[in-house]
Structure formats: structure tokens, C-alpha cells
Amino acid sequence: MINIEKLKEILVVGAGTMGHSIAQVFSQARFQVDLVDLNQKKLNHALELIESNLKILAEFNKVDPNRIPNILSRIRVSTDLAQAAEDKMYVLEAVNEVPELKQKIFKEFAEYCSAETILASNTSSLDIFKLVKRIVNLDRVIAHHWFSPPHIIPSVEVIPGRRTSQETTDFVVALTKKIGKIPIVTKKFIPSYIVNKIQESISATMYELMARGVADAEMIDLAIKTTLGIRLPIVGVVQLHDFTGLDVVQNVQSEKGGSLPIVDSKVQNNELGVKTGKGFYEYGDLSEKKILNKRDRLYLQQLEFLEKKTKFDPI
Ligand SMILES: NC(=O)c1ccc[n+]([C@@H]2O[C@H](COP(=O)([O-])OP(=O)(O)OC[C@H]3O[C@@H](n4cnc5c(N)ncnc54)[C@H](O)[C@@H]3O)[C@@H](O)[C@H]2O)c1
């Protein structure tokens, strides 16, 4: 495995919505960053955005304002991919979501990077492994998928393809941790990965509700912000069902004429969630009362913040 401690320089290609902020995150973590785009105008704009992002982070004590000039100076912008790729052991492309363009960039990676360089893609929806399989050796290709805005969202998805080597995955997981992010690692590749896959179901349903005249945009957002918006940051979508009770989930499902084998087998084993001490999660010796108290305190803190700061109004 490439020694992560020896990695000092990285390359980001594409300085748009995602790329500029990803470059910033690496620079904040003290990496020397080459940021490449098509023209100087885009690069200048990216640097302006990075400076303004850093000032906002400083307002929230997430960055020392005295460090800002240093962070900026570690980002070298350029339009010369060949030169910027030289000696890099990790490169990430964040160019437009266009298959031919991704292939073009990977051809350039194949030409300019060493045979060991980790080739990462920030693609949200393309099967990067299929797209580049004839261009590079897939064992060092990985999807490293960031969320907007990268300088704020704490996690980054790490998606190995079927032929990505364990070494490559381990390296990208270690790198993600090193820059202070939480790696969300999938066991295998599916399009849209975890977060966008779930987001797609939500989006499809909200458009259906609007199209069928069930509710307008503001009512849908108010409904979500005042319910799921309070619960999900604390319990996620899976543990939420441990609180609902997996027998209840099973009943709802069978009323609809469906079944969920994962839930059925848990119910059969009396793993109903919090009320039996085990569901998708194990609750050890904690009593139901203690678990509910813990949850409620967290919900109340969350609610207090939201009521005070947003009143659930649109931005
Ligand atoms: N926008 C998001 O919220 C988001 C979130 C996660 C992932 N992504 C993914 O990140 C990637 C980039 O998205 P974005 O929103 O930052 O796009 P964007 O359009 O804001 O930026 C893309 C940048 O790539 C540059 N570019 C195009 N061709 C190039 C080339 N040959 N060499 C160098 N630079 C080139 C463009 O000039 C542009 O600045 C896409 O794959 C997208 O799916 C986007």
C-alpha cells in the first residue's frame, strides 16, 4: 500500500462547484494541492470562492483566520494537467458529469500518472468502472464521492468497484480520515451509492405528491422539516425502525401486500427493536426507558436549535 504518511501532494481536476471546495479541504489538511481547470477565469473564480468559504468557516471557529493565507498558498491553480499530474499518487476528477469527458480525463491520467497512482472520481451517477475499464487498470480506480459543500459536509462516500484492489480502498479510507472526513464505505458498487439512492426515492415521492396535487412545495418541506428533520440526524433511517418496532414495520408492510425478508426474520427471533433490546442494533443492558430518555434529550436539543434558528421557515 502507498504509505499515506508519504503523501504530500494531490491533484483535483475540475474547479467547479465541487472541485474548488474539495481542493480547499485537502489544503486545510496541509496537502499541497494542484487544481486544474480549462481556463484561468474559472480558476480565479475558484480561488475567490475558496477564500470566501474560509472566511465563513473562520466565523464558526472551524478555521484559524491567521491560517487562511497559508491555506490559499498551498493551492496551485493551473490549466496544464500533464504538469500538474506529475508525481501525484492520488488524483481526483470532478469535471462535468459527461461520460465522454470522464473518459477523456482518465485517458490523460493514464498518460501522465504513474502505474501506482490512485485514480478517483467524484461522479454521482455514472458507472466510472465501466466507463474507464479499457483505459486504465481498474484495481486503482475508485469512486470518492463528496457532498456539497465539501468544506462543510463531514462525510465522503468511498465506493470500490468489483476490480478495485483492497489496497486502493484502504488507502482512500485512510486518506479520507486523514483530512478529517468520515468515510462511508460501500461493500459493492451500485449506481447512486447510498445517499443519492435514498435521496432519489425521496425526490421521486415528493414530485409524485406535487403532481397528484396532494400538497404544494412549502407544505411538503414543512412536513419534512418538522418530523423527519428532527429525527433523522439522531437515529438515521434504519435505527428509526428500531424505535418504531419491527413488528409494526412488518404489519404495515403486509397491509400493503408486501414483505421484507430482513424484517420478517428479525420479528421471528423476537428482535423487535428498542422494546426487546435488539433490532437492527443491540442495546445491551440498557432499559427501554433509558434508551427513550436518551433519544428524547437529543430530539429536544435538536428541536430547540431548529425552533430558535429557523422556525422551520424556508431559507
Ligand atoms: N454539484 C454537486 O452537488 C455534486 C455533488 C456530488 C458530486 N458531484 C459530481 O462532481 C462532478 C463535478 O460536478 P460540479 O457540480 O462541480 O460541476 P461544475 O460544472 O460546477 O464543474 C465542473 C468543472 O470541470 C471543468 N472541466 C470541464 N472539462 C475539463 C477538462 N477537460 N479539464 C479540466 N477541467 C474541466 C469545468 O470547466 C468546470 O469548472 C460531477 O461528476 C458531479 O456529478 C456534484
Side-chain angles (χ1 to χ4, degrees):
M1 173 162 151
I2 306 164
N3 184 348
I4 190 96
E5 297 312 321
K6 290 205 173 128
L7 187 80
K8 303 283 178 220
E9 299 191 336
I10 64 105
L11 163 67
V12 177
V13 185
T17 307
M18 298 301 289
H20 83 274
S21 167
I22 295 170
Q24 172 191 331
V25 172
F26 277 105
S27 177
Q28 281 181 253
R30 298 189 154 77
F31 284 92
Q32 172 70 47
V33 182
D34 278 83
L35 178 61
V36 169
D37 207 303
L38 292 173
N39 59 54
Q40 195 56 43
K41 205 170 148 212
K42 282 183 195 281
L43 292 164
N44 290 345
H45 182 61
L47 286 176
E48 275 169 32
L49 289 181
I50 292 171
E51 187 168 7
S52 130
N53 296 341
L54 288 167
K55 284 183 182 155
I56 301 276
L57 289 178
E59 261 179 50
F60 285 80
N61 295 321
K62 295 277 187 195
V63 81
D64 176 350
N66 298 320
R67 281 191 61 217
I68 293 180
N70 242 326
I71 295 169
L72 287 168
S73 74
R74 270 197 296 273
I75 303 173
R76 198 162 43 201
V77 294
S78 151
T79 54
D80 185 347
L81 179 54
Q83 195 183 47
E86 215 169 279
D87 297 332
K88 298 293 185 299
M89 293 315 294
Y90 167 93
V91 297
L92 173 84
E93 69 76 19
V95 300
N96 310 58
E97 192 77 336
V98 176
E100 298 73 27
L101 186 51
K102 303 282 188 198
Q103 285 172 324
K104 177 180 180 291
I105 298 296
F106 269 79
K107 275 182 195 146
E108 295 183 63
F109 285 166
E111 190 174 342
Y112 306 134
C113 298
S114 88
E116 284 81 47
T117 303
I118 307 278
L119 311 175
S121 170
N122 190 43
T123 179
S124 303
S125 60
L126 301 170
D127 181 343
I128 194 68
F129 307 101
K130 208 165 153 185
L131 275 180
V132 304
K133 69 178 179 199
R134 291 189 209 295
I135 303 172
V136 287
N137 190 341
L138 286 185
D139 65 0
R140 58 200 177 107
V141 175
I142 195 156
H144 199 193
H145 182 242
W146 298 62
F147 295 91
S148 184
H151 59 277
I152 295 181
I153 302 296
S155 58
V156 185
E157 285 176 316
V158 177
I159 307 101
R162 234 166 12 95
R163 288 173 49 199
T164 306
S165 71
Q166 191 59 45
E167 243 193 348
T168 299
T169 306
D170 292 346
F171 176 86
V172 174
V173 167
L175 179 61
T176 307
K177 289 183 184 160
K178 194 164 182 201
I179 57 177
K181 296 287 183 186
I182 303 164
I184 306 290
V185 191
T186 57
K187 293 182 186 162
K188 56 170 144 175
F189 168 83
I190 59 157
S192 305
Y193 325 134
I194 299 175
V195 179
N196 286 355
K197 180 95 182 139
I198 290 177
Q199 174 75 54
E200 280 164 13
S201 307
I202 294 176
S203 302
T205 307
M206 69 98 170
Y207 281 120
E208 184 194 338
L209 292 173
M210 284 200 273
R212 292 173 65 179
V214 176
D216 60 19
E218 281 207 17
M219 193 53 75
I220 294 171
D221 279 342
L222 185 64
I224 296 303
K225 287 193 277 188
T226 54
T227 57
L228 302 185
I230 294 157
R231 300 191 309 215
L232 295 193
I234 313 293
V235 295
V237 288
V238 181
Q239 195 175 32
L240 184 66
H241 280 197
D242 272 4
F243 282 97
T244 304
L246 296 181
D247 49 339
V248 177
V249 174
Q250 187 187 49
N251 289 339
V252 171
Q253 199 61 34
S254 74
E255 282 303 312
K256 290 182 173 171
S259 79
L260 296 165
I262 294 181
V263 172
D264 295 343
S265 81
K266 292 214 171 276
V267 172
Q268 215 162 30
N269 294 332
N270 199 36
E271 293 169 7
L272 305 183
V274 172
K275 59 191 167 195
T276 60
K278 188 171 178 193
F280 285 105
Y281 290 79
E282 296 213 20
Y283 299 89
D285 292 337
L286 279 181
S287 69
E288 186 183 9
K289 198 170 92 181
K290 279 215 166 105
I291 299 167
L292 294 179
N293 285 348
K294 183 175 176 188
R295 176 199 69 180
D296 289 356
R297 285 196 180 93
L298 291 166
Y299 278 177
L300 284 163
Q301 282 169 24
Q302 172 90 338
L303 181 61
E304 197 174 34
F305 168 82
L306 290 170
E307 281 177 337
K308 205 156 70 192
K309 295 287 180 185
T310 75
K311 300 186 182 64
F312 304 110
D313 288 338
I315 286 178

